[in-house]
Amino acid sequence: MILIKEPNAMHDYVNASKRTGKRIGFVPTMGFLHAGHTSLASLCRTRESCDEVIMSIFVNPLQFGPQEDYEKYPRDMDRDTSIAEKAGVDVLFVPDASAMYPAAARTKVEVEEMSQALCGVSRPTHFRGVTTVVAKLLNIVNPDVAAFGQKDAQQFFILQRMVADLNMPVQLVMAPIVREADGLAMSSRNVYLNEEERKQALSLSRALVMAHQMIEKGETKPAVIIQRMTAIIRQQPLAKIDYVAIVETENLQPIQTIQSPALIALAVLFGKTRLIDNIII
Ligand code: PAF
């Protein structure tokens, strides 16, 4: 596995690979890798038939709010390098913040409206940070395919809008959520949870399973489903609900009647740890 730090060197490397006809897959991450990230690398290799898989590790300051966990976001480069290598990543791109955001930089990329929905209500600048860094990474890495996890479904749909709106020549693919054996969606932030919080956090996947079952039995009213989901999560004394919502995947606006495709998404705080999870029906 090759390690590249400079954006220009990354760009040159990919251009040389592409000249030899190679199909490039890209997995952008913020590191502290888990099975969710490595599943994205395998997706590029197998389903998307990429010849080379490039993974970036960059904890993007722009997507953290002033009171959020940028400083303490978990980082472990040695561990990540070994996990990426075992996952078959060919190139690890690890730029410095100063290379990604030189002092003179003034440009931000924002997808309007969709960035203010769901997580955007309590994290008003988050998605502008995500779209800005992903636009830059896509320009630097110039992949044929870029893979993202469904756990960040809102992020995926916003990025899809950005790529379409800006005519970016890349195909975005979404990989299913990878869960722990007990149902908790994998996340680098799960390490923040203490034992009791982690136990109570299982109410999130339970609420989503309940929603799925209700729909299978014919329930079509989002309000009824949201009420049941909320009741399940509220049974946990440490859970503080940010939102439980059912929205259209196209524009992330609430839907009146369940019809495909819809995103059932939630965000819940356990102590200071904010967890998200979802299903798409
Ligand atoms: O999903 C993430 O880990 C990040 O939001 C991303 C896409 C790597 C951008 O920093």
Side-chain angles (χ1 to χ4, degrees):
M1 188 174 71
I2 303 169
L3 183 74
I4 298 183
K5 292 195 79 169
E6 288 303 322
N8 286 342
M10 185 68 254
H11 200 64
D12 292 348
Y13 176 93
V14 149
N15 285 347
S17 276
K18 282 192 141 181
R19 276 197 295 275
T20 66
K22 283 188 176 157
R23 180 169 160 82
I24 307 292
F26 178 43
V27 180
T29 82
M30 297 208 301
F32 212 65
L33 303 176
H34 52 68
H37 298 113
T38 55
S39 78
L40 300 175
S42 343
L43 182 92
C44 287
R45 181 81 66 194
T46 53
R47 199 185 79 188
E48 299 303 326
S49 315
C50 294
D51 304 300
E52 271 195 285
V53 178
I54 298 170
M55 177 182 276
S56 63
I57 296 184
F58 178 61
V59 184
N60 172 33
L62 221 58
Q63 70 189 74
F64 290 80
Q67 310 304 326
E68 292 182 1
D69 56 343
Y70 174 66
E71 294 301 339
K72 78 176 224 286
Y73 193 84
R75 294 160 169 91
D76 189 338
M77 223 16 237
D78 289 343
R79 178 178 168 276
D80 282 352
T81 307
S82 137
I83 292 176
E85 188 147 32
K86 284 195 194 109
V89 169
D90 299 291
V91 181
L92 203 54
F93 175 47
V94 190
D96 284 337
S98 57
M100 290 299 281
Y101 301 120
R106 290 292 174 274
T107 307
K108 303 265 175 9
V109 178
E110 178 150 21
V111 175
E112 292 178 344
E113 288 161 26
M114 293 173 83
S115 297
Q116 266 64 62
L118 305 177
C119 291
V121 175
S122 58
R123 307 186 74 193
T125 57
H126 171 68
F127 290 109
R128 186 177 60 191
V130 171
T131 40
T132 301
V133 81
V134 173
K136 286 173 70 69
L137 289 167
L138 292 175
N139 283 337
I140 294 165
V141 176
N142 190 18
D144 297 285
V145 175
F148 297 85
Q150 186 194 317
K151 192 176 74 65
D152 297 295
Q154 179 175 12
Q155 164 174 283
F156 181 82
F157 294 120
I158 290 173
L159 291 172
Q160 246 189 349
R161 186 72 265 148
M162 174 187 84
V163 161
D165 289 354
L166 298 181
N167 303 85
M168 298 173 102
V170 59
Q171 182 200 345
L172 301 193
V173 292
M174 180 160 73
I177 298 178
V178 179
R179 295 181 182 279
E180 305 285 357
D182 57 11
L184 184 69
M186 285 197 186
S187 161
S188 305
R189 287 189 169 102
N190 288 351
V191 290
Y192 297 154
L193 297 169
N194 66 32
E195 205 181 319
E196 188 52 34
E197 289 167 342
R198 199 197 168 295
K199 209 163 94 194
Q200 296 193 19
L202 296 180
S203 58
L204 306 194
S205 51
R206 274 206 306 275
L208 289 164
V209 168
M210 165 64 73
H212 193 235
Q213 286 169 351
M214 288 173 81
I215 292 164
E216 277 190 337
K217 285 188 188 140
E219 182 56 69
T220 57
K221 293 188 208 70
V224 176
I225 298 166
I226 290 171
Q227 196 182 28
R228 285 283 290 282
M229 292 175 71
T230 305
I232 290 175
I233 298 166
R234 285 217 177 109
Q235 280 166 5
Q236 309 304 314
L238 300 176
K240 197 162 158 269
I241 296 178
D242 181 354
Y243 67 81
V244 177
I246 305 185
V247 297
E248 282 180 39
T249 55
E250 181 69 13
N251 56 18
L252 304 178
Q253 294 309 305
I255 56 174
Q256 304 314 317
T257 307
I258 300 286
Q259 55 195 7
S260 294
L263 169 68
I264 307 185
L266 48 79
V268 179
L269 279 142
F270 290 89
K272 286 195 176 140
T273 310
R274 189 172 177 283
L275 299 181
I276 55 173
D277 201 349
N278 69 80
I279 54 172
I280 296 172
I281 47 129

